[in-house]
Amino acid sequence: MASSDRPIILTPLETSESDINRLANGLIDLASSCHVELTLDQARLCVEHLLYVEQINQYINLTRITDINEALVLHILDSLSLVPLIDATVTRFLDMGTGAGFPGVPLHVATGLPGVLLDSVGKKIKAVNACLKQLGIDRITGVHDRLESYAAENKKAFDLVVARAVAPLPILIEYASPFLKHNGQLLISKGNPDPEELAQGRSAAKLCGMELQAHESFDLPDGFGHRELYSFVQVSKPTIKLPRSVGEARKRPLGQ
Ligand SMILES: C[S@@+](CC[C@H](N)C(=O)[O-])C[C@H]1O[C@@H](n2cnc3c(N)ncnc32)[C@H](O)[C@@H]1O
């Protein structure tokens, strides 16, 4: 059996309670530096998610980050950095291209918001759902589908869409627009997009009826990199028909 076809069976974590608490307390301090306040229980859930991802990563390739301290910053803190930008009226979110559950799982843990974590790779969604079950989290769920197909059946079903490390800005904007209610929010975390990607993003946003509402920059601690956070709002109807057919957004990106 190919390792990726292996059923996912999670076993009790080998990390001791005191080590989980130590990591969780470290995360509380890190999150606080990003203006996100976590309780010990919330921080423990985030850490345990990471430890289960690491367990599954032994036989299914979910992440290249295997050092736990690095993962605390690059997976959890990076995900949590979106929390302060979330509009107070948001009721339900979609994580586009969640991979092993980032940013969706930490976002849910920190806010309590229900939502859908979607990815086109089935083994990743199996891993996400196995982790959620093990953690006792039942208000978010992993869905295996392509964004373009899922959009056709879930038009205006969310008031928040998030994405990290999935595609260039114009593509993310096009993917997100059909899912968003009027005044719905798209939050994107990016490394360091070049000016051309930004300009194309703005043109794509115009076609999709979206406007850039807020933009923040920050550096992750300990030299882990720079982040640009963008908040777009769905202010009017798109002037083009969305979603376009599967693969079209990548083949012929808007705004070029
Ligand atoms: C680089 S990974 C990032 C995963 C996660 N967001 C993170 O930050 O760790 C990009 C993910 O987006 C998913 N993806 C890309 N295009 C997609 C599409 N059109 N529909 C659904 N998932 C997609 C891929 O399968 C992959 O798991």
Side-chain angles (χ1 to χ4, degrees), residues 161-179:
V161 172
V162 296
R164 184 187 82 148
V166 174
L169 266 178
I171 299 174
L172 291 176
I173 287 166
E174 175 175 351
Y175 282 159
S177 179
F179 292 112

Side-chain angles (χ1 to χ4, degrees), residues 168-171 173 194-207 232 253-256:
L169 266 178
I171 299 174
I173 287 166
D194 61 34
E196 199 184 343
E197 181 180 344
L198 281 180
Q200 287 172 3
R202 281 182 187 275
S203 306
K206 214 169 179 184
L207 290 167
F232 288 88
L254 297 176
Q256 279 194 336

Side-chain angles (χ1 to χ4, degrees), residues 75 95-100 102-103 118-121 124 145-148 164-166 175 250:
H75 281 324
D95 179 6
M96 303 195 298
T98 191
F102 303 107
L118 186 130
D119 205 286
S120 56
V121 177
K124 294 187 181 179
D145 205 345
R146 286 195 66 105
L147 286 156
E148 304 91 314
R164 184 187 82 148
V166 174
Y175 282 159
R250 282 188 193 266

